[in-house]
Every structure is written in structure tokens, then in C-alpha cells.
Amino acid sequence: MRLRHKPYAKEKLAEYEQYVVTEGLELKGRWQERFGNENPIHVEIGCGKGQFIINMAKKHPEINFIGIELQTSVIVSALEKQIEEKLPNVQLLQANASDLAEYFEKNKVDRIYLTFSDPWPKNRHEKRRLTYKTFLNVYETILNPDGELHFKTDNQKLFEYSLISFSSYSADLKEVYLDLHQSDVTENVMTEYEEKFSKKGNRIYKAVITFDGQ
């Protein structure tokens, strides 16, 4: 995907520091202070333009949501949605997913969402896939003992790869959907990509996992 450059993005992120964190290392272990409550924390890795996390936060005011996105020109779109909504339970963090353990203490996150992540189809890029074992190790570290990883994609090869990766890592597959939109799941908040791909007739895959011992 080619990113459209937004020259105003950095300035806007700095202007709305109450909603977006660009230097989040000092918040490790202190996210509840940032939200001003002790509610559970759900993290979306690669929140994109923010449709999923904003709509989830509106449906679940009892949960604190943190949307993580690295690209400045993308996270600013999520910020614009939050500026409009002013949801007290949404924070945006500009960070790389590989550095999550630097921003969250062990066992402090209740749920992680991977929504339509880049499939990185070439074999030489395997380590960049967000379901590669090194990422799974980070997720296991920051999730609490009852925490879950929710993974959705329209990419069949990525989904198949991820199921093998989960199994090899000894993760516990709690739920697997080979055609989510034709399943009995009643609550499914869609991302921008999910709406786009499902309209094209693409099948949506989903897995919910916990980690060994949880």
C-alpha cells in the first residue's frame, strides 16, 4: 500500500498530545494513570485509520483501548477520528510492534488485536509477520494470564501460516473461523480493510488464542 504523505501530520500529533503518545516509554506500567482508571487494557497493533478501535471503544466504555501505529501519515487519520469523538477510553501510541515490551509491563494487557496485518508474503520477510514466533513471545509477555490474542485477516496463506506458528509456539487455539461473516459470531466490529475486502467477496478468517499455561 502506498502511503499518502500528509505534511501536517507531525504538527497535528504534537498538538493533540492528550490523545496520542509519540514517546511512550515513560508510560510503561502507568497506562492506568494515563486513562485515570483501572479498567482493562485492550491493544490493537496496526490500528491504521482507527475505525476499528474507535468503534470498539464506543461499544465498550468499560475498557481502555490503545491503538498502535508506526506510520505518521496513517496514525493521524485515527487521531482525526478521536478528535471528533473525544472518547475518554482511547489512546493512540506511535510505536513499532516489535518494541511492545518497552511500553507495557509483563501481564498488564488484557487483549491484543491483530487486524488485517501486512502478510509479508515473501519467505525472506517471514520475521516481519506479526504472527512470527518472536512477536508471539512479546504478546505472551505483556498479556495477563487470562489474556487473549484476536487475529483477523482475509489472507488465506497468512492465516494458514499463523495457525502453524501458533501451534509451533504451543499457543492454545480457542476459536477458529474459516469464514467469519458466515459464522454464528454476533459481535464483529469491522476495520476499513475488512469492509473493503468483504464487499469484494473475500472470506474473512479469525483465530482467538491464549498461551500455554493460561
Side-chain angles (χ1 to χ4, degrees), residues 19-207:
Y19 296 137
V20 63
V21 178
T22 55
E23 300 291 338
L25 296 179
E26 71 280 3
L27 287 173
K28 184 175 182 178
R30 298 176 52 213
W31 283 100
Q32 267 92 4
E33 293 179 31
R34 176 84 175 182
F35 284 103
N37 60 57
E38 298 292 323
N39 291 344
I41 291 177
H42 289 192
V43 173
E44 182 188 10
I45 299 174
C47 69
K49 297 180 180 179
Q51 176 173 304
F52 175 81
I53 199 165
I54 291 294
N55 286 335
M56 285 292 288
K58 288 164 80 172
K59 288 174 71 71
H60 297 284
E62 76 284 1
I63 296 171
N64 294 327
F65 289 89
I66 300 173
I68 296 176
E69 177 60 53
L70 181 61
Q71 299 295 337
T72 301
S73 293
V74 178
I75 196 172
V76 73
S77 295
L79 174 59
E80 288 167 346
K81 288 182 175 66
Q82 171 62 346
I83 291 170
E84 182 177 343
E85 299 289 346
K86 298 179 175 61
L87 298 170
N89 61 329
V90 170
Q91 288 287 303
L92 302 171
L93 172 62
Q94 187 173 26
N96 194 312
S98 61
D99 298 327
L100 283 186
E102 301 297 319
Y103 298 98
F104 299 96
E105 284 192 338
K106 185 177 180 179
N107 299 338
K108 292 297 184 181
V109 174
D110 297 272
R111 184 174 293 178
I112 294 172
Y113 296 98
L114 300 179
T115 52
F116 297 84
S117 310
D118 192 326
W120 293 105
K122 295 181 180 179
N123 289 337
R124 69 175 183 269
H125 293 151
E126 179 188 9
K127 293 181 180 180
R128 299 184 186 182
R129 298 171 192 161
L130 293 182
T131 53
Y132 184 65
K133 60 184 178 181
T134 54
F135 285 105
L136 297 182
N137 182 254
V138 174
Y139 308 152
E140 182 179 20
T141 299
I142 66 174
L143 279 168
N144 72 35
D146 296 317
E148 295 177 338
L149 174 66
H150 287 228
F151 170 61
K152 283 200 295 186
T153 182
D154 74 311
N155 189 296
Q156 182 178 349
K157 289 184 178 180
L158 177 62
F159 192 70
E160 291 171 350
Y161 166 86
S162 300
L163 293 181
I164 294 171
S165 182
F166 298 153
S167 178
S168 298
Y169 193 82
S170 297
D172 179 26
L173 278 166
K174 292 183 65 178
E175 301 174 33
V176 176
Y177 301 96
L178 300 180
D179 193 347
L180 179 64
H181 291 186
Q182 298 301 317
S183 72
D184 58 359
V185 172
T186 56
E187 180 178 311
N188 179 51
V189 174
M190 290 198 286
T191 72
E192 293 93 342
Y193 281 121
E194 186 171 357
E195 287 185 346
K196 175 183 176 182
F197 295 145
S198 61
K199 285 179 181 176
K200 289 182 177 180
N202 293 20
R203 184 180 296 189
I204 306 301
Y205 304 89
K206 181 179 180 179

